[in-house]
Amino acid sequence: MVRLYEAARTLKNLETPTDVARALNQSQQTINNWERRGVSRLGMIEAQKHIGCSATWLQTGKGSMTHDPSIRTANDTENGLDERMRLVLEEPDIKPQAVAKAAGVTPDAVAKWLSGEIKTITLDQAVGIQEAFGYSAVWLIMGKGAPKAVVFDDPRPKPPAKKETRSPKKQTEPSDPTPLTYIADVTKYRPIPVVGRAQGGLPDRIWTDGDYPVGATQQYAEVASADPLAFLTPVVGLSMIPRYNPGEFALVEPGTEPELEDDVLVRLNSGETMIKRLLSKRQGVRLGSYNDPEVFTFEPGDITWMYYVAHPVPARKIKTRL
């Protein structure tokens, strides 16, 4: 958030968090959440669009602060996602099947990207391609900036080095030793089980128990979470796109108290279970979606439990126990 506020002041003369929220079309609660948890990836892209700062600079602090959409590199394309996909597949070692696997889609979807029938790509799909082949997710989504993402050192803990007989040279202190809040604590990665099903809209009955969801499957994912009760649940339905896409999984943390504008997994006394956004707790619990204007209002007594949903997990992360 320090870099976001710096860019807002420098590029748009925005002095307060309220000014930043208004410029990004975000609620004040979302800005407060970013201050505690770090700016989300979608938030960085929105800041790049509305404030003019580089999403890469926001995430890493490296490169230029500014993002000028009028400045295009030789590899940038104005012809859309189909041209960008063709550029990716020009590399002899990258095949359409590999792109499909990295993005978590079918080969038919890749063919539709190439033909122009599908003109957009989701953030998680783009990040999957970036992780597999190094192409920038921002470039894949928006066609802006350099096609290849900047590669940084693996943040995972390294094994301790062997002791040397000579004294090691004194290391220079980094200019910003404080870790960014939005980088997951990789020391907390552990197997998180997949439990039940969740639906973006109002679903059918899913779980019949009235307590902590049971019936964990043989599936799991290595995910960072400090909540010992954390679990993953599959997502179906369309009302939470683009935040949660069908086929993905949601990381649920029952030990975290949800706040306004948070995503939540809600269990009703009727047995219905859904993923929604928590909009209000006044005059009933009001729940909404990302792409549907309809708001659902429930009395507190109608809700069995309501758990905080941290973030989506791509299907490619899911493993099966042998």
Side-chain angles (χ1 to χ4, degrees), residues 207-214 267-269 304-305 307:
W207 295 313
T208 56
D209 62 290
D211 201 345
Y212 176 77
V214 297
R267 167 69 179 270
L268 303 179
N269 293 338
T304 305
W305 44 252
Y307 294 153

Side-chain angles (χ1 to χ4, degrees), residues 11 74 96 117 137 254 261 272:
L11 302 177
E117 184 176 348
E261 298 296 331
E272 295 172 330

Side-chain angles (χ1 to χ4, degrees), residues 3-21:
R3 283 194 284 272
L4 177 58
Y5 286 144
E6 178 185 352
R9 286 193 300 269
T10 303
L11 302 177
K12 294 293 184 179
N13 295 320
L14 304 175
E15 296 294 337
T16 68
T18 301
D19 294 335
V20 174

